[in-house]
């Protein structure tokens, strides 16, 4: 192993447990580290893993550290590189989809858990790593559960591999039991946090409720930064509009969500001047990111949670109350620089009645995509794979049935050529099947518009106070023969605001305001369409032409709908 910069540790709770963590790593293959949000696990454990490897005399490989989100992998790598006084991409690097800052000298690599899973295809034993850190394991995403099961099997083959599992909740007993390994507990916040409950008034919407909480905090402190947890981009935008309209003195309102541009994200991590910041965030800030300087937290108590409805065969992203564990993680985002206050926008009885932990994603997802992924990764059958929480047999059968219907699996449950191609397309399998059919029928440009439009949230908005005006504005895109074609009509109109591959953003914003469209979702729709198109061209050798809109003739209508039916044969009406 090449020489490292000097490793030092800031005064964080996890650093005080350094000796215990290093001793556990020396004597065991797997160590679980549990500590409250904000204890420093994400930034300090990777440095401890490097220090441990040097002490053990490890000569080859690097530390790999997974994060559930791209924004976290990039920002944490930058922070750790600064702490180690090295340039990003040298000793410390990161890799996320479509972006990589890693060199031959990189000894500490941050990445999304999806990147590490993909690497198992080219290197089943992951010999490029001597230590792996699975961060935010309590989130129990599909990728995390895949990795935990994969590593359980891998550890028997690689006795030299060390694994650190980092969790922010006390549910870590299930990880320790799964691996038969020790747990190191890290004390939480440095300062105490007081919890206040502020239930909603009659007929008070969420933005006004948040504004009331801000006003309550401002009554005794007009300067401390506030972090507000909201369920999604729409709610963030509505709250931002209301708070900016109130013109709080010396205050800056800062949105934060996963798809925000990099420059806007960096504003959050680089406070400027003496202005109070009100950061409006989705649950991306719950565990993955630590925002400096937060003194107050306002918790809406809800999040958008994805759930599969087997009866309707749809995956719904619905707003639900968060678990007690999530609420406590949100509370843990303050109390790091001074005494903190967490204002919960619900009552204490509501909190006590909530489930203790969030359901693992595998218990609330369609298993068709899970099975397809496992087949492509050459993992064992889903019924035999060592999941911490195995899925129900009925849901497994439904997943196999769906994959056979879209010709991804044969009668022997083996991947077909279509299945192998599907496994490389990062959308739900039935939508991916539509794209594959469209490549054969020469209508891929239009189908990319449709599939990406069906994947993101509907950009059409219908505010209650202007429902009729919104309906009238949207009516021009309706198609009496097919709801799907309404997406193509809308796309045709917004393409007028493009100049080559760039949007005329100011004109598009104005058009969206006038026609009750969500500007950010339009851009997200286009980003996904371009990402899928680039992936298809580079990796799957797809050939396609941009669809910028035209009148769909009878032949094209038939072809497009045959492609749609290929993906959803049981749902077409």
């Amino acid at each position: 192993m090449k020489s490292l910069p000097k490793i030092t540790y800031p005064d964080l709770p996890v650093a005080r447990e350094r000796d215990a963590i290093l001793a556990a790593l020396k004597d065991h293959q797997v160590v679980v580290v549990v500590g409250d949000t904000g204890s420093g696990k994400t930034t300090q454990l990777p440095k401890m893993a490097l220090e441990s490897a040097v002490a053990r005399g490890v000569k080859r490989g690097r530390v790999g550290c997974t994060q559930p989100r791209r924004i976290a992998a990039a920002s944490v790598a930058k922070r750790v590189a600064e702490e180690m006084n090295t340039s990003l991409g040298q000793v410390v690097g990161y890799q996320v989809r479509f972006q990589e800052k890693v060199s031959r000298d990189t000894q500490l690599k941050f990445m999304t858990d999806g990147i590490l899973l993909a690497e198992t295809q080219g290197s089943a034993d992951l010999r490029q790593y001597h230590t792996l850190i699975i961060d935010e394991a309590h989130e129990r995403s599909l990728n995390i559960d895949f990795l935990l099961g994969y590593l359980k099997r891998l550890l028997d083959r690689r006795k030299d591999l060390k694994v650190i599992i980092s969790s922010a909740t006390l549910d870590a007993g299930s990880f320790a039991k799964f691996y038969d390994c020790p747990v190191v507990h890290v004390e939480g916040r440095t300062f105490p946090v007081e919890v206040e409950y502020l239930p909603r008034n009659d007929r008070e919407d969420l933005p006004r409720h948040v504004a009331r909480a801000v006003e309550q905090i401002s009554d005794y402190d007009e300067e401390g930064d506030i972090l507000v947890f909201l369920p999604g981009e729409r709610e963030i935008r509505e709250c931002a509009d209301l708070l900016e309209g109130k013109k709080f003195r010396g205050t800056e309102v800062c949105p934060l969500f996963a798809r925000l541009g990099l420059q806007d994200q960096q504003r959050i991590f680089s406070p400027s001047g003496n202005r109070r910041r009100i950061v409006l965030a989705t649950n991306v800030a719950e565990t993955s990111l630590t925002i400096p300087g937060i003194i107050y937290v306002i918790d809406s108590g809800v999040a958008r949670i994805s759930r599969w409805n087997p009866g309707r065969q749809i995956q719904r992203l619905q707003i639900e109350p968060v678990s007690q564990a999530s609420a406590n993680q949100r509370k843990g985002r303050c109390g790091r620089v001074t005494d903190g206050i967490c204002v919960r926008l619900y009552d204490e009885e509501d909190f006590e009645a909530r489930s203790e932990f969030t359901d693992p994603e595998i218990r609330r997802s369609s298993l068709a995509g899970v099975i397809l992924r496992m087949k492509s990764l050459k993992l064992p059958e889903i019924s035999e794979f060592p999941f911490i929480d195995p899925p129900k047999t009925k849901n497994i059968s439904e997943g196999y049935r769906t994959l056979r219907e879209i010709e991804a699996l044969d009668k022997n449950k083996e991947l077909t050529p279509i299945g192998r191609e599907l496994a490389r397309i990062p959308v739900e399998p039935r939508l991916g099947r539509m794209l594959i059919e469209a490549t054969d029928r020469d209508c891929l440009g239009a189908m990319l518009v449709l599939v990406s439009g069906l994947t993101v949230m509907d950009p059409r908005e219908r505010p209650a106070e202007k429902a009729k005006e919104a309906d009238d504005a949207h009516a021009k895109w309706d198609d009496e023969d097919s709801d799907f074609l309404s997406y193509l009509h809308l796309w045709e109109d917004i393409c007028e605001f493009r100049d080559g591959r760039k949007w005329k953003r100011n004109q598009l914003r104005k058009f969206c305001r006038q026609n009750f469209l969500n500007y950010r979702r339009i851009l997200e729709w286009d980003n996904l369409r371009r990402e899928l198109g680039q992936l298809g061209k580079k990796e799957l050798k797809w050939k396609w032409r941009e669809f910028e809109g035209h009148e769909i003739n009878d032949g094209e209508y038939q072809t497009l709908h045959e492609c749609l039916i290929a993906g959803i044969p049981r749902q077409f009406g």
Side-chain angles (χ1 to χ4, degrees):
M1 185 181 287
K2 293 183 180 178
S3 60
L4 287 169
K6 184 180 179 183
I7 296 177
T8 58
Y9 299 94
D11 183 21
L12 289 168
V14 72
R16 294 168 209 148
E17 299 297 331
R18 170 176 161 270
D19 291 345
I21 292 167
L22 292 178
L25 266 179
K26 180 182 176 184
D27 297 334
H28 299 86
Q29 262 193 288
V30 183
V31 177
V32 176
V33 179
V34 182
D36 280 349
T37 294
S39 58
K41 302 182 304 300
T42 297
T43 52
Q44 306 311 308
L45 286 176
K47 295 193 291 186
M48 292 180 197
L50 274 177
E51 187 179 352
S52 173
V54 171
R56 299 194 315 270
V58 174
K59 301 295 184 189
R60 298 180 59 190
R62 57 174 55 139
V63 175
C65 182
T66 69
Q67 294 290 327
R69 297 173 183 85
R70 289 188 278 185
I71 182 176
S75 63
V76 173
K78 182 172 180 282
R79 173 68 179 271
V80 174
E82 288 170 356
E83 288 187 9
M84 294 182 67
N85 198 26
T86 179
S87 300
L88 187 61
Q90 297 301 310
V91 174
V92 181
Y94 73 90
Q95 182 181 356
V96 297
R97 198 162 140 219
F98 301 119
Q99 197 172 11
E100 183 175 1
K101 282 204 171 185
V102 176
S103 68
R104 293 179 63 183
D105 296 330
T106 299
Q107 296 182 44
L108 175 50
K109 176 181 172 182
F110 290 88
M111 61 196 135
T112 55
D113 35 35
I115 293 290
L116 181 59
L117 260 179
E119 288 183 2
T120 62
Q121 290 183 277
S123 172
D125 286 353
L126 296 171
R127 293 279 172 191
Q128 62 271 43
Y129 301 104
H130 55 70
T131 309
L132 287 168
I133 302 173
I134 309 301
D135 200 7
E136 315 294 1
H138 55 271
E139 290 202 8
R140 298 295 304 281
S141 67
L142 281 173
N143 282 347
I144 286 171
D145 273 10
F146 276 148
L147 285 171
L148 294 175
Y150 190 90
L151 292 175
K152 186 173 175 68
R153 292 159 48 86
L154 177 59
L155 288 165
D156 288 336
R157 301 198 303 271
R158 278 202 58 192
K159 298 297 184 184
D160 61 317
L161 180 65
K162 299 286 185 179
V163 175
I164 301 173
I165 296 167
S166 170
S167 175
T169 72
L170 294 176
D171 190 28
S174 58
F175 302 134
K177 184 178 177 183
F178 189 64
Y179 286 106
D180 188 22
C181 67
V183 178
V184 179
H185 290 275
V186 174
E187 70 175 64
R189 295 171 297 278
T190 313
F191 299 93
V193 174
E194 179 185 339
V195 177
E196 296 181 1
Y197 292 92
L198 189 71
R200 181 176 297 191
N201 291 334
D202 290 343
R203 292 183 292 182
E204 182 178 47
D205 61 15
L206 184 56
R208 288 185 177 85
H209 197 181
V210 169
R212 183 157 62 96
V214 171
E215 287 164 354
Q216 179 170 307
I217 291 169
S218 298
D219 284 343
Y220 44 79
D221 180 6
E222 293 185 343
E223 296 180 357
D225 286 357
I226 302 172
L227 172 59
V228 185
F229 283 100
L230 295 164
E233 289 181 37
R234 177 178 179 175
E235 292 78 14
I236 286 174
R237 194 180 67 258
E238 289 172 351
C239 279
D241 290 344
L242 185 71
L243 292 173
E244 285 169 352
K246 286 190 172 285
K247 300 191 185 317
F248 291 105
R249 190 176 60 178
T251 298
E252 179 182 17
V253 178
C254 307
L256 176 65
F257 42 86
R259 286 192 173 269
L260 197 65
L262 193 61
Q263 189 174 355
D264 291 322
Q265 290 170 17
Q266 293 312 313
R267 275 176 63 204
I268 308 295
F269 305 110
S270 308
S272 57
N274 298 318
R275 305 185 74 197
R276 156 181 269 178
R277 293 181 306 153
I278 302 177
V279 180
L280 307 175
T282 59
N283 57 0
V284 69
E286 192 174 295
T287 55
S288 298
L289 297 170
T290 295
I291 300 165
I294 296 299
I295 296 175
Y296 305 101
V297 163
I298 297 173
D299 176 14
S300 66
V302 291
R304 287 195 184 274
I305 295 176
S306 177
R307 283 194 189 277
W308 172 247
N309 183 324
R312 292 187 173 185
Q313 291 279 299
I314 55 171
Q315 190 88 21
R316 296 182 62 197
L317 193 61
Q318 54 201 35
I319 294 178
E320 294 182 7
V322 299
S323 66
Q324 291 183 10
S326 286
N328 287 331
Q329 286 160 31
R330 291 176 172 193
K331 180 182 76 172
R333 280 314 185 186
C334 59
R336 303 194 70 211
V337 291
T338 185
D339 293 1
I341 293 178
C342 173
V343 180
R344 289 177 173 159
L345 304 185
Y346 45 97
D347 59 35
E348 192 167 3
E349 286 181 11
D350 183 346
F351 174 77
E352 296 295 342
R354 296 181 177 210
S355 59
E356 193 175 359
F357 300 104
T358 307
D359 293 339
E361 191 177 356
I362 196 160
R363 290 288 184 91
R364 48 187 173 84
S365 294
S366 161
L367 294 184
V370 176
I371 294 167
L372 184 68
R373 190 95 175 271
M374 294 182 74
K375 291 283 184 184
S376 72
L377 292 168
K378 297 182 174 59
L379 297 176
E381 290 297 315
I382 187 169
S383 56
E384 300 167 11
F385 189 76
F387 283 113
I388 293 179
D389 292 288
K392 295 177 183 175
T393 305
K394 179 184 175 184
N395 293 356
I396 293 174
S397 300
E398 178 65 33
Y400 276 115
R401 180 183 169 190
T402 296
L403 291 174
R404 284 194 297 271
E405 280 185 350
I406 61 173
E407 304 174 286
L409 294 181
D410 60 24
K411 291 179 181 178
N412 299 318
K413 296 184 178 179
E414 296 300 325
L415 281 178
T416 63
I418 285 175
R420 281 191 286 276
E421 191 169 354
L422 264 182
R424 299 167 70 184
I425 306 173
V427 294
E428 206 272 332
R430 286 167 302 182
L431 295 176
R433 180 68 182 86
M434 296 173 192
L435 293 175
I436 291 173
E437 191 72 16
T439 62
D440 296 336
R441 294 173 177 268
D442 196 27
C443 59
L444 185 55
M447 192 53 64
L448 282 167
V449 173
L450 283 177
V451 164
S452 51
L454 292 169
T455 302
V456 303
M457 287 182 68
D458 192 334
R460 293 168 293 191
E461 296 187 322
R462 194 174 185 268
E465 68 279 7
K466 293 188 176 180
K468 186 177 185 308
E469 293 98 315
D471 290 343
D472 291 342
H474 299 160
K476 59 179 166 291
W477 299 308
D478 290 347
D479 191 292
E480 62 182 18
D481 294 320
S482 168
D483 287 341
F484 294 103
L485 294 189
S486 64
Y487 274 89
L488 297 184
H489 299 324
L490 168 56
W491 185 258
E492 183 173 7
D493 276 4
I494 62 175
C495 277
E496 291 183 18
F497 302 100
R498 294 178 74 115
D499 184 6
R501 300 180 70 180
K502 290 187 177 180
W503 289 105
K504 301 172 184 173
R505 295 195 172 224
N506 289 336
Q507 292 171 260
L508 179 61
R509 272 196 188 93
K510 183 179 178 183
F511 178 79
C512 289
R513 276 197 305 271
Q514 292 170 342
N515 290 277
F516 297 90
L517 297 171
N518 184 307
Y519 170 74
R520 291 197 176 278
R521 284 186 209 149
I522 293 287
L523 295 184
E524 186 181 344
W525 180 7
D526 183 50
N527 285 341
L528 180 59
R529 183 192 68 88
R530 283 191 291 107
E531 282 185 8
L532 288 173
Q534 287 169 8
L535 178 101
K537 277 182 178 175
K538 288 179 181 176
E539 298 185 21
L540 303 171
K541 309 305 178 191
W542 289 349
K543 294 180 181 177
W544 55 282
R545 298 182 303 279
E546 290 274 352
F547 178 83
E548 296 192 344
H550 60 265
E551 196 66 35
I552 302 294
N553 61 41
D554 290 345
E556 289 172 312
Y557 176 94
Q558 173 98 4
T559 301
L560 279 171
H561 287 77
E562 284 172 355
C563 294
L564 291 164
I565 289 171
I568 45 176
R570 269 193 287 162
Q571 293 169 272
F572 223 86

